Amino acid sequence: MSLRSSLSSVFVLHLTLWLGMALASSPPVNLPTLQAGQLASNTSLPNNTAPNSFGIVPVSLADDGTYYVVLQAGEISFRAAIDTGSSDFWLVSTACETKTCSAVPRYPLTYASPTFVSVNNNATNFTLSYADGTGATGFVAREAVEVSNVTVPNQAFGVVTNSNVTLDDEVSGILGLGFPRLSEIYVATANATPFIASLSEQGILDYPIFGLSLTRNSTGTLSLGAVDVSVVQNISEIVWNEVVPFSPLGTQFNTSGYFYWAIHMTNFAVNGSELTPIPTYPGPTDNSSIALLDVGTPGLYGPYQDVTRLYALFPDSRLVDDSGQWAIPCDSSATMSFSFGQGNDFVLQPSDYIIGPTEGNPDLCLSWPKASPPSADGVDWQLGTPFLRTVYSVWSYGIDYKQPPMVGLYPRSNQSTLVESPSAVSSFFSAASATVATTLPNYIMSTPTFTTPPYAFNTSVPANFGEIVDSELATSTYKPVIGTPGVEATALPKVSDAYTLVVTDAMGDVVTSTYHISQPSVVLGLPPGWSGAQTLRMPYLGLGLSMLAAASAGTWIF
């Protein structure tokens, strides 16, 4: 649609988009100034794919610490928590009447969505279980799923009929961003690849990546098929790490492949004092410690053999409960860092890893990481949002026959940044009202011991680090631009969450303002035309930017 033709005569609106052109200087992605809704016909993209194949959408922080996006399933808007530690996409439906389901918008089974496709007459069931002990059950169906302006038709998803998963802030489900082998729906249903796999295998994205910018509010972004250059000032500074492959689980597959967004951790440190991780399963993991990067986990977790040594570098720290929780003095001014693969250090400030002061012992603060028992999958560390907020992360899905999956990490602060002072940390937690309602034990707890379970994967089929597989990754029609000799990652498609609005009034005065995309003002869970539903959609502005506009008496609301 043309925004300019819809305006009243009071204003003349010139709407252009800033898509990071000052930073996107690489010839393969030359993004010209665009008018609303236009895609430049001469825009050169890495694979010369169809237009509207990358986009960007706001990411918000829910009260329970999870991050969510707004997406459309069959033209119905929902909030879905994003999770790189799982692969399935599901929404609670009106058939689910549990307390957790009834409190949020639900997918209406009484609505005859024109894009809904039944699978096996709704008789293909699935069961999902999560690490916190919650789960969801239901049946598999297909629906058109849209995130930003990127759509997967006939996407397999879970229609939940029973769930005890805690959902806050009107979040109706989970959008898993992991690999197919981790998907229960993929295992149960033919041709039912997860969302990111569908985008990559079908060649829908301009390049098979997604990017995450996480903040403590609603200013984060999820970009699909491109890098958000409003955050990444220099793409060449992204540190790339190959994802660890795994042997098959039981007899489900006869080849090795990719399960988790997991990479090798080489060191962790406190105030620069480095320690080498001790892997739980040194044989199957090539004597390397494996770290899962998980946006669905609002914490940091590591094995006891590493976490006890880490806290030994904090004076007066102590274990305070059976769940592996440690406490440290609240006036700690130490940095904590992790390094991977190539050895680059990624630094956390005290406000990144300190959870908050305890109510009964206000001079002691609970801290990340917590220690966890051995996990049979060999993943020793789980780095959730306290770490991922300190970086911009790029998740490259890999290409069949050509390239393994990779995770790119771009630090959001310079390593030379001064460490936060105790007073600054205290002010931060006071403003955030982050006091933890607990009293610590008045005795020293001993470190528990555990029996290491048998390794879960079938090591008779070896998994070799850096291996390139011939299926389950992105279509081989993509040309690698990451880690390829003679081709730099700066050729990746670029997008920005910023846009420029230039308004000229009747007096000839020009006002120029820069804005950032925000969550759309839409009614959740209601189909078009139903009572309370809004028929206005967000018109897309060029390459991946969108804006909700409503006109009333010559006034536009953005």
Side-chain angles (χ1 to χ4, degrees), residues 4 8 56 102 110 129 154 180 190 214 255 277 306 320 329 392 413 426 429 455 467 488 493 530 543:
R4 184 173 183 178
S8 69
I56 190 167
S102 59
T110 54
S129 299
N154 296 318
L214 303 180
T255 61
D306 289 346
V320 295
Y392 181 84
S413 61
S426 176
F429 287 113
Y455 188 62
E467 67 180 37
E488 297 183 358
W530 281 32
L543 299 176

Side-chain angles (χ1 to χ4, degrees), residues 62-406:
D63 291 339
D64 62 357
T66 59
Y67 285 87
Y68 68 84
V69 297
V70 174
L71 53 76
Q72 286 74 45
E75 296 191 348
I76 309 172
S77 296
F78 294 97
R79 291 176 176 175
I82 54 176
D83 184 16
T84 54
S86 66
S87 298
D88 290 303
F89 168 50
W90 59 264
L91 294 170
V92 296
S93 73
T94 49
C96 183
E97 298 181 352
T98 64
K99 182 179 179 180
T100 55
C101 286
S102 59
V104 300
R106 294 174 288 178
Y107 184 90
L109 293 177
T110 54
Y111 171 64
S113 170
T115 49
F116 179 90
V117 178
S118 173
V119 172
N120 192 26
N121 198 28
N122 297 341
T124 299
N125 298 321
F126 70 93
T127 299
L128 301 176
S129 299
Y130 294 95
D132 61 0
T134 62
T137 60
F139 60 88
V140 180
R142 298 183 186 275
E143 182 61 279
V145 177
E146 178 182 344
V147 179
S148 184
N149 60 333
V150 179
T151 302
V152 178
N154 296 318
Q155 174 61 51
F157 80 113
V159 180
V160 169
T161 58
N162 188 35
S163 172
N164 65 347
V165 176
T166 301
L167 300 171
D168 288 335
D169 288 348
E170 295 187 303
V171 172
S172 299
I174 293 178
L175 178 62
L177 300 173
F179 295 96
R181 292 195 179 195
L182 196 59
S183 166
E184 293 292 332
I185 293 175
Y186 175 74
V187 172
T189 312
N191 301 315
T193 54
F195 180 70
I196 288 295
S198 297
L199 291 172
S200 302
E201 292 183 9
Q202 297 177 34
I204 295 174
L205 296 175
D206 285 329
Y207 198 76
I209 60 171
F210 64 93
L212 278 173
S213 169
L214 303 180
T215 64
R216 294 183 184 271
N217 49 38
S218 298
T219 61
T221 61
L222 166 66
S223 60
L224 298 174
V227 175
D228 183 356
V229 291
S230 69
V231 178
V232 179
Q233 303 300 311
N234 188 342
I235 287 182
S236 65
E237 294 181 359
I238 297 175
V239 179
W240 295 98
N241 304 271
E242 291 185 4
V243 172
V244 176
F246 288 83
S247 299
L249 190 62
T251 58
Q252 182 179 356
F253 298 94
N254 58 12
T255 61
S256 57
Y258 294 93
F259 276 79
Y260 304 115
W261 288 107
I263 59 178
H264 282 151
M265 179 189 291
T266 52
N267 290 290
F268 57 91
V270 174
N271 261 357
S273 297
E274 291 188 346
L275 295 170
T276 301
I278 301 174
T280 302
Y281 300 91
T285 61
D286 296 324
N287 202 31
S288 298
S289 187
I290 297 175
L292 169 66
L293 303 180
D294 185 7
V295 69
T297 297
L300 308 174
Y301 297 85
Y304 272 90
Q305 66 266 24
D306 289 346
V307 174
T308 53
R309 293 184 297 138
L310 180 148
Y311 282 113
L313 300 175
F314 284 91
D316 301 318
S317 65
R318 61 188 178 98
L319 180 66
V320 295
D321 67 21
D322 293 331
S323 72
Q325 179 68 67
W326 255 264
I328 63 175
C330 291
D331 61 359
S332 170
S333 59
T335 59
M336 186 183 299
S337 63
F338 300 92
S339 61
F340 315 92
Q342 302 176 20
N344 299 70
D345 293 331
F346 294 88
V347 179
L348 278 65
Q349 294 281 351
S351 63
D352 296 320
Y353 64 80
I354 293 177
I355 300 172
T358 59
E359 190 173 63
N361 309 77
D363 293 331
L364 286 175
C365 282
L366 302 186
S367 175
W368 300 114
K370 292 179 68 172
S372 53
S375 177
D377 57 11
V379 175
D380 283 332
W381 282 86
Q382 194 169 5
L383 302 182
T385 53
F387 172 78
L388 291 172
R389 275 194 292 261
T390 68
V391 297
Y392 181 84
S393 53
V394 186
W395 315 68
S396 178
Y397 195 73
I399 303 172
D400 288 344
Y401 301 101
K402 296 180 180 180
Q403 191 173 68
M406 299 185 192

Side-chain angles (χ1 to χ4, degrees), residues 521-552:
S521 300
V522 294
V523 174
L524 302 171
L526 288 178
W530 281 32
S531 177
Q534 295 181 353
T535 56
L536 283 178
R537 295 287 305 283
M538 293 192 304
Y540 294 112
L541 305 183
L543 299 176
L545 294 200
S546 55
M547 178 164 52
L548 176 68
S552 175

